[in-house]
């Protein structure tokens, strides 16, 4: 008979917490099939049934947050193969095995080594197995069981926000939703009441209330007015354990703001306003400001002002300043103290956004009375018209009156007025004005054909106060009279062929007239009386302001008469009739059989205007001569530049090399490298002057290098002596400046700034002692001294 094995789970009642045993779901791990397994739990027994190879395991329950000093006992594992002889060993694996949960490998007792927190991990899955201690082979298949952590109330409710912000309109009804607060509890909601949260209000009554289960905050007081109080701070508490004593709690703050509604009408702080306005106030200028107060804010406080009645209804207007909500009273029409000096207006202020819910509070508008006093000012004269238009014929005599302007002082004093013409508008002084009565008259002849309109400005000023003046434009139109005779539209110069036939049209004439004609111009053309009978040509008037010139005979001979001058009389039909005599030039030319001109005595008819061939050739020759002169001049200048600078022995020029930095003397050893002076190899003596041609070329001489300890003065004297006796030295004066002077220098300063100011103070005899190189310089300056003595 086969033997089947199983585990016995033994549960002990440990202090201070207990372990509990409940059935687990079936699992199909391979234990040998057995009808019953006996499990002991305390002093009671339960029979667990299994089907085939499936075990019905229990699960352990363990309380969290164990505070005892010993390990917390979980339960006991036992196999029916365990004979108590120590041949079996129990092994535990899974979540926390060996660290959080340990097992006595001999007895199968399971213990928890640390305090457990359900909020960190609520369930642990472990596996147990019994193995042979000697061989290490399992005597039972591995089995899985669960340890569940029982919750205790160790977490207080936490709100999702530390501070809530909400707003509701003022004057809201009771029970109006404000905001919903939410608190969560980390405890197990399925075990006891540890996670059951109840809300209550600690601060904010009687204005607000909170629903205990949902956390919804609502209004609890009717007609809360923002103008009385705008901000409310409500403290809400969330408590677990269903709000019972001993439960944990948390709080949050809710800041509630009442938003504005239009529940206050505008009100003027005073019933009457008084303003003063000078009668010279420009149009659309402000006279004064009024303001109605409204306790509301933003758009609920926006006010629209209007003038509802009063004797100044059409004289003044009012607009609203959107920034300050003030009513600005402005002038719509010009004020006149002499006509009316007091206006009374009724101004109304109305809310632009009215809430119908609060109409029962009364009309949302208010009115006030505005009195405007017009002040008298000294006004300039006023013309009877804003502009004057006058007409005058162009043939009127000088000093003829063409019209009159009128201006009066609008003030009560009625000061006399004098008139004048603004000469900036009448630079030619064509018109003048009577300063007393304002009559305008001509001072120069007029010509419509020169200028049709004259626009002048007349000034009217008070005699007692000339600063008070006004201006008015005067437009003077010059009317036309028939004072211009018609004339040809262009200069006519035509030709006639020698082989022309009689009655052949050779030219069509037209005329123009500078005068203006209301019915259109009508010109008549005719030959002058002296040419009507003896002329070789005839003139035909076409009655359309044109005329044609026709030949009278068959042939013309240019050798006999090369040019004909035909006088034509042109007349208009206006009054008085004006006429003029114009001349048509007709040249006789040779033509082909088609009438095309071939040659003519008048070259202007066949050659375009321009220069002749001879003139063009002359201009071209002048240009060539000018270019040759410029080239020769440039060549001569280049040849002069190649000559040497010194062309005679008498031309002595100084070559002065100037160094613009002054050293510190012999004591200054940092300003320059003394080794350069002591090393003759560093000096290139082979350089020749470029401004003269050398007479003789000598090989440069090299001197021995000076010792490092050679004194500078001795070195310079040695070099000077060598150069004085050197025949290869250039034959020109050279001034070399050694900047060794300065503080402590025996040579003192060599600067020319400290030299004497006149040549007469200088003694140049010492130049003769300087050697042959300075002979020419000594002779020159020595001769100058002798000239002075003589």
């Amino acid at each position: 008979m086969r033997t089947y094995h199983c585990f016995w789970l033994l549960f002990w009642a440990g202090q201070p917490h207990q372990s509990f045993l409940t059935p687990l779901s079936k699992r199909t791990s391979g234990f040998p099939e057995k009808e019953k397994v006996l499990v002991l739990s305390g002093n009671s027994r339960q029979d667990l049934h299994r089907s085939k190879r499936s075990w019905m395991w229990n699960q352990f329950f363990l309380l969290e947050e164990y505070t005892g000093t010993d390990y917390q006992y979980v339960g006991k594992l036992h196999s029916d193969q365990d004979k108590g002889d120590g041949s079996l060993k129990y092994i535990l694996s899974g979540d926390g095995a060996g660290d959080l949960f340990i097992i006595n490998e001999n007895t199968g007792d399971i213990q928890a080594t640390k305090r457990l927190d359900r909020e960190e991990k609520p369930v642990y899955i472990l596996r147990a197995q019994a193995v042979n201690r000697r061989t290490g082979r399992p005597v039972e298949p591995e089995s899985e069981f669960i340890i569940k952590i029982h919750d205790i109330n160790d977490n207080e409710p936490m709100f999702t926000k530390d501070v809530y912000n909400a707003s509701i309109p003022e004057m809201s009804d009771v029970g109006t939703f404000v905001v919903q607060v939410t608190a969560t509890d980390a405890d197990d909601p399925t075990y006891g009441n540890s996670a059951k949260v109840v809300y209550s209000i600690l601060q904010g009554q009687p204005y607000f209330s909170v629903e205990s289960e949902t956390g919804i905050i609502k209004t609890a007081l009717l007609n809360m007015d923002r103008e009385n109080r705008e901000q409310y701070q409500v403290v809400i508490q969330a408590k677990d354990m269903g709000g019972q004593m001993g439960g944990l709690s948390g709080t949050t703050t809710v800041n509630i703001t009442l938003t504005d509604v239009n529940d206050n009408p505008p009100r003027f702080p005073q019933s009457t306003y008084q303003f003063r306005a000078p009668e010279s106030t420009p149009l659309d200028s402000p006279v004064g400001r009024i303001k109605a107060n409204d306790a509301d804010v933003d758009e609920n406080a926006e006010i629209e002002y209007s003038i509802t009645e009063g004797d100044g209804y059409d004289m003044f207007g009012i607009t609203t300043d959107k920034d300050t909500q003030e009513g600005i009273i402005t002038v719509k029409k010009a004020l006149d103290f002499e006509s009316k000096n007091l206006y009374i207006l009724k101004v109304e202020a109305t809310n632009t956004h009215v809430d119908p819910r609060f109409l029962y509070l009364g009309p949302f508008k208010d009115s006030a009375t505005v009195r405007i006093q017009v002040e008298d000012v000294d006004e300039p004269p006023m013309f009877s018209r804003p502009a004057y238009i006058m007409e005058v014929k162009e043939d009127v005599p000088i000093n003829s009156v063409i019209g009159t302007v009128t201006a009066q002082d609008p003030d009560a004093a009625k000061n006399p007025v004098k008139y004048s013409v603004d000469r900036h508008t009448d630079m030619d002084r064509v018109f003048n004005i009577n300063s007393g009565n304002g009559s305008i008259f001509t001072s120069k002849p007029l010509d419509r054909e020169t200028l049709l309109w004259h626009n002048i400005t007349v000034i009217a000023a008070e005699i007692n106060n000339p600063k008070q003046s006004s201006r008015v434009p005067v437009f003077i139109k010059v009317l036309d009279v028939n004072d211009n005779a018609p004339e040809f539209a262009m200069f006519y110069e035509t030709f006639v062929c020698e082989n022309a036939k009689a009655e052949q049209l050779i030219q069509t004439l037209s005329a123009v007239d500078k005068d203006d004609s209301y019915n259109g111009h009508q010109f008549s053309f005719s030959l002058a009386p002296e040419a009507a009978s003896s002329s070789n040509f005839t003139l035909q008037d076409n009655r359309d302001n044109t005329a044609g010139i026709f030949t009278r005979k068959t042939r013309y001979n240019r050798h006999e008469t090369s040019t004909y001058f035909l006088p034509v009389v042109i007349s208009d039909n206006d009054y008085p009739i004006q006429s003029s005599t114009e001349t048509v030039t007709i040249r006789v030319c040779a033509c082909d059989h088609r009438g095309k001109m071939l040659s003519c005595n008048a070259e202007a008819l066949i050659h375009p205007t321009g220069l002749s061939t001879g003139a063009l050739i002359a201009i071209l020759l002048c240009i060539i001569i000018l270019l040759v002169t410029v080239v020769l001049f440039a060549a001569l200048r280049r040849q002069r530049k190649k000559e040497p600078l010194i062309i005679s022995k008498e031309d002595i020029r100084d070559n002065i090399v100037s160094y613009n930095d002054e050293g510190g003397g012999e004591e200054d050893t940092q300003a320059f490298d003394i080794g350069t002076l002591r090393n003759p190899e560093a000096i290139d003596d082979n350089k020749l002057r470029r401004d003269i041609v050398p007479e003789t070329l000598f090989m440069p001489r090299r001197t021995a290098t000076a010792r490092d300890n050679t004194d500078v003065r001795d070195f310079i004297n040695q070099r000077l002596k060598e150069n004085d006796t050197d025949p290869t030295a250039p034959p020109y004066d050279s001034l070399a400046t050694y900047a060794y002077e300065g503080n402590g220098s025996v040579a003192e300063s060599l600067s020319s700034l400290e030299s004497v100011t006149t040549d007469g103070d200088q003694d140049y005899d010492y130049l003769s002692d300087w050697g042959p190189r300075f002979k020419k310089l000594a002779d020159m300056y020595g001769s100058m001294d002798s000239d002075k003595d003589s």
Side-chain angles (χ1 to χ4, degrees):
M1 181 176 180
R2 294 182 62 184
T3 303
Y4 298 93
H5 308 283
C6 69
F7 278 116
W8 292 80
L9 301 179
L10 303 179
F11 301 93
W12 300 80
Q15 296 296 331
H17 301 289
Q18 280 188 322
S19 297
F20 302 92
L21 189 66
T22 59
L24 271 178
S25 60
K26 297 179 180 181
R27 62 189 307 274
T28 57
S29 56
F31 275 132
E33 185 177 0
K34 191 172 182 180
E35 293 295 329
K36 292 183 179 181
V37 175
L38 182 63
V39 180
L40 300 178
S41 179
N43 297 325
S44 63
R45 294 177 180 268
Q46 292 180 346
D47 292 335
L48 299 181
H49 301 276
R50 67 178 181 176
S51 173
K52 297 181 181 179
R53 299 173 60 88
S54 297
W55 280 82
M56 296 297 293
W57 276 87
N58 292 331
Q59 57 184 349
F60 295 100
F61 289 91
L62 195 63
L63 291 177
E64 66 172 336
E65 303 296 343
Y66 173 69
T67 59
T69 56
D70 298 332
Y71 290 162
Q72 188 177 6
Y73 185 76
V74 179
K76 184 181 182 65
L77 298 179
H78 185 73
S79 173
D80 57 358
Q81 296 295 319
D82 188 358
K83 304 302 183 181
D85 55 359
S87 61
L88 295 182
K89 179 174 67 172
Y90 296 95
I91 300 174
L92 187 65
S93 63
D95 295 340
D99 178 24
L100 188 58
F101 299 102
I102 60 176
I103 187 172
N104 190 314
E105 62 180 15
N106 297 321
T107 63
D109 293 328
I110 301 174
Q111 291 177 309
T113 62
K114 298 180 181 179
R115 184 169 62 179
L116 304 178
D117 189 357
R118 189 201 66 84
E119 284 72 35
E120 293 182 1
K121 189 175 181 63
V123 176
Y124 295 87
I125 301 175
L126 298 168
R127 293 176 296 277
Q129 191 176 32
V131 299
N132 189 287
R133 185 182 297 273
R134 184 173 57 84
T135 64
R137 298 181 60 183
V139 297
E140 298 283 356
E142 187 178 55
S143 298
E144 186 178 83
F145 64 96
I146 295 175
I147 299 177
K148 280 190 174 183
I149 309 302
H150 260 255
D151 184 45
I152 63 173
N153 189 18
D154 58 343
N155 291 281
E156 70 276 4
M158 299 291 293
F159 283 93
T160 56
K161 296 181 181 180
D162 294 334
V163 178
Y164 289 82
N165 295 301
S167 61
I168 58 168
E170 63 174 330
M171 309 298 289
S172 296
D173 296 333
V174 175
T176 301
F177 173 84
V178 179
V179 70
Q180 183 177 12
V181 296
T182 304
T184 58
D185 196 316
D187 294 326
D188 189 0
T190 63
Y191 181 74
N193 294 327
S194 299
K196 185 178 181 181
V197 179
V198 174
Y199 301 93
S200 61
I201 185 169
L202 300 182
Q203 177 183 321
Q205 294 176 328
Y207 307 104
F208 300 95
S209 62
V210 63
E211 292 183 357
S212 60
E213 295 183 357
T214 62
I216 295 176
I217 301 175
K218 299 180 179 180
T219 58
L221 190 63
L222 186 64
N223 295 335
M224 287 190 291
D225 193 0
R226 185 198 66 84
E227 287 70 32
N228 293 331
R229 183 177 178 183
E230 184 177 6
Q231 298 286 340
Y232 293 87
Q233 190 175 74
V234 179
V235 178
I236 302 298
Q237 175 184 338
K239 191 173 184 181
D240 59 12
M241 298 298 292
Q244 296 177 5
M245 185 176 297
L248 303 178
S249 63
T251 60
T252 187
T253 301
V254 182
N255 295 322
I256 301 174
T257 303
L258 296 184
T259 58
D260 186 56
V261 297
N262 194 5
D263 59 340
N264 293 279
R267 291 289 181 263
F268 283 105
Q270 59 192 70
S271 59
T272 304
Y273 295 85
Q274 292 187 356
F275 299 103
R276 292 180 178 272
E279 61 176 337
S280 59
T281 302
L283 298 182
D284 298 326
S285 298
V287 174
R289 289 172 175 254
I290 60 176
K291 183 177 182 180
N293 299 324
D294 194 325
D296 297 321
V297 294
D298 298 332
E299 68 174 13
N300 297 318
E302 292 181 2
I303 300 174
E304 187 72 26
Y305 296 91
S306 61
I307 299 176
T308 57
E309 58 183 64
D311 53 3
Y313 181 82
D314 58 342
M315 297 294 296
F316 300 93
I318 188 169
T319 57
T320 303
D321 188 334
K322 299 300 182 182
D323 296 329
T324 62
Q325 295 301 314
E326 292 178 316
I328 306 174
I329 300 175
T330 58
V331 178
K332 290 174 58 178
K333 294 184 178 181
L335 302 177
D336 188 6
F337 173 81
E338 289 73 23
S339 301
K340 189 176 180 62
N341 57 14
L342 179 62
Y343 295 91
I344 300 177
L345 311 175
K346 185 178 181 180
V347 179
E348 187 175 82
T350 307
N351 276 138
T352 56
H353 300 87
V354 179
D355 194 336
R357 296 178 299 170
F358 306 104
L359 290 177
Y360 68 91
L361 297 176
F364 282 78
K365 59 183 179 180
D366 194 15
S367 60
T369 301
V370 178
R371 298 169 59 89
I372 301 176
Q373 183 73 43
V374 180
E375 297 178 341
D376 187 24
V377 295
D378 189 7
E379 298 175 275
M382 293 184 61
F383 286 93
S384 59
R385 301 179 190 174
Y388 292 86
I389 299 178
M390 300 179 183
E391 295 181 347
V392 58
K393 290 186 178 182
E394 61 178 330
D395 60 346
V396 297
I398 297 176
N399 295 328
S400 298
V401 177
I402 61 176
T404 303
V405 296
T406 304
Q408 292 183 352
D409 184 11
D411 298 325
K414 299 298 180 183
N415 294 319
V417 176
K418 65 176 182 179
Y419 303 91
S420 62
V421 176
D422 186 356
R423 290 307 174 188
H424 292 90
T425 61
D426 185 23
M427 302 293 291
D428 297 331
R429 296 181 176 269
V430 180
F431 300 96
N432 212 333
I433 190 171
N434 189 306
S435 62
N437 58 19
S439 59
I440 301 174
F441 55 90
T442 60
S443 57
K444 288 184 179 181
L446 303 177
D447 186 6
R448 188 203 68 86
E449 288 72 32
T450 303
L451 185 59
L452 176 61
W453 284 93
H454 294 267
N455 303 328
I456 66 174
T457 299
V458 175
I459 303 173
E462 295 181 6
I463 296 178
N464 299 332
N465 186 10
K467 292 183 178 180
Q468 293 295 336
S469 63
S470 58
R471 298 167 175 261
V472 67
V474 179
F475 306 102
I476 303 174
K477 182 179 181 181
V478 181
L479 301 179
D480 184 47
V481 296
N482 193 22
D483 58 346
N484 291 279
E487 57 188 14
F488 280 149
M490 58 181 292
F491 175 73
Y492 289 104
E493 184 176 3
T494 185
F495 70 94
V496 61
C497 295
E498 289 182 311
N499 57 355
K501 297 179 180 180
E503 300 299 325
Q504 181 179 343
L505 177 66
I506 62 173
Q507 183 65 50
T508 300
L509 308 176
S510 62
V512 294
D513 195 334
K514 295 180 180 179
D515 293 324
D516 189 11
S517 178
Y518 299 101
N519 298 323
H521 291 289
Q522 290 293 330
F523 303 124
S524 60
F525 299 86
S526 63
L527 292 177
E530 65 272 14
S533 58
S534 62
S535 175
N536 293 310
F537 302 92
T538 60
L539 181 67
Q540 180 180 340
D541 192 347
N542 297 327
R543 305 298 180 185
D544 59 354
N545 294 335
T546 62
I549 299 176
F550 294 87
T551 58
R552 175 174 286 184
K553 61 182 182 178
T554 302
R555 295 187 61 85
Y556 295 86
N557 190 342
R558 60 175 173 165
H559 299 290
E560 295 179 357
T561 305
S562 61
T563 305
Y564 293 92
F565 297 99
L566 186 65
V568 178
V569 177
I570 311 171
S571 303
D572 58 20
N573 62 343
D574 291 333
Y575 179 80
I577 295 176
Q578 301 286 341
S579 63
S580 65
T581 301
E582 302 287 334
T583 301
V584 178
T585 302
I586 303 174
R587 299 186 184 277
V588 181
C589 302
C591 303
D592 58 11
H593 65 280
R594 291 175 296 182
K596 184 177 180 180
M597 181 175 58
L598 297 177
S599 63
C600 187
N601 289 340
E603 293 184 356
L605 294 176
I606 59 176
H607 292 292
T609 303
L611 298 174
S612 63
T613 304
L616 292 175
I617 294 174
I619 293 174
L620 184 59
L621 288 176
C622 291
I623 294 175
I624 293 174
I625 293 173
L626 181 62
L627 291 176
V628 171
T629 303
V630 172
V631 171
L632 291 176
F633 181 75
L636 289 174
R637 285 179 60 88
R638 181 174 297 179
Q639 185 176 2
R640 287 180 182 178
K641 290 182 179 180
K642 294 182 179 180
E643 296 180 357
L645 293 177
I646 301 176
I647 58 178
S648 67
K649 296 182 179 179
E650 299 300 328
D651 187 2
I652 300 175
R653 306 186 183 188
D654 294 338
N655 183 15
I656 300 176
V657 181
S658 175
Y659 299 91
N660 293 327
D661 38 80
E662 186 172 347
E666 297 176 359
E667 296 180 355
D668 186 1
T669 59
Q670 301 297 327
F672 58 91
D673 185 7
I674 194 65
T676 304
L677 293 175
R678 294 175 175 175
N679 184 13
E681 301 296 333
I683 303 175
D684 190 0
D685 291 336
N686 201 22
K687 292 183 179 179
L688 301 178
R689 289 187 58 177
R690 296 183 180 181
D691 53 348
I692 61 174
V693 179
E695 298 177 356
T696 307
L697 294 179
F698 295 92
M699 293 303 294
R701 295 189 306 171
R702 298 295 182 184
T703 59
T705 305
R707 301 187 306 274
D708 291 340
N709 57 354
T710 302
D711 185 78
V712 174
R713 177 178 297 180
D714 297 339
F715 168 75
I716 293 176
N717 291 332
Q718 179 184 356
R719 295 288 292 167
L720 180 61
K721 183 177 180 181
E722 292 175 355
N723 281 276
D724 288 341
T725 58
D726 188 2
T728 64
Y732 60 90
D733 296 332
S734 176
L735 176 62
T737 302
Y738 296 91
Y740 295 142
E741 73 278 11
N743 295 332
S745 174
V746 179
E748 298 182 350
S749 176
L750 300 179
S751 173
S752 62
L753 296 178
E754 298 180 2
S755 302
V756 291
T757 57
T758 61
D759 293 337
D761 297 335
Q762 293 283 354
D763 184 8
Y764 299 103
D765 294 338
Y766 62 89
L767 294 176
S768 302
D769 301 334
W770 284 13
R773 292 185 57 196
F774 298 95
K775 184 176 183 305
K776 289 184 178 181
L777 188 64
D779 295 341
M780 181 177 63
Y781 279 91
S783 62
M784 291 176 60
D785 293 341
S786 61
D787 292 341
K788 290 180 182 179
D789 296 339
S790 62

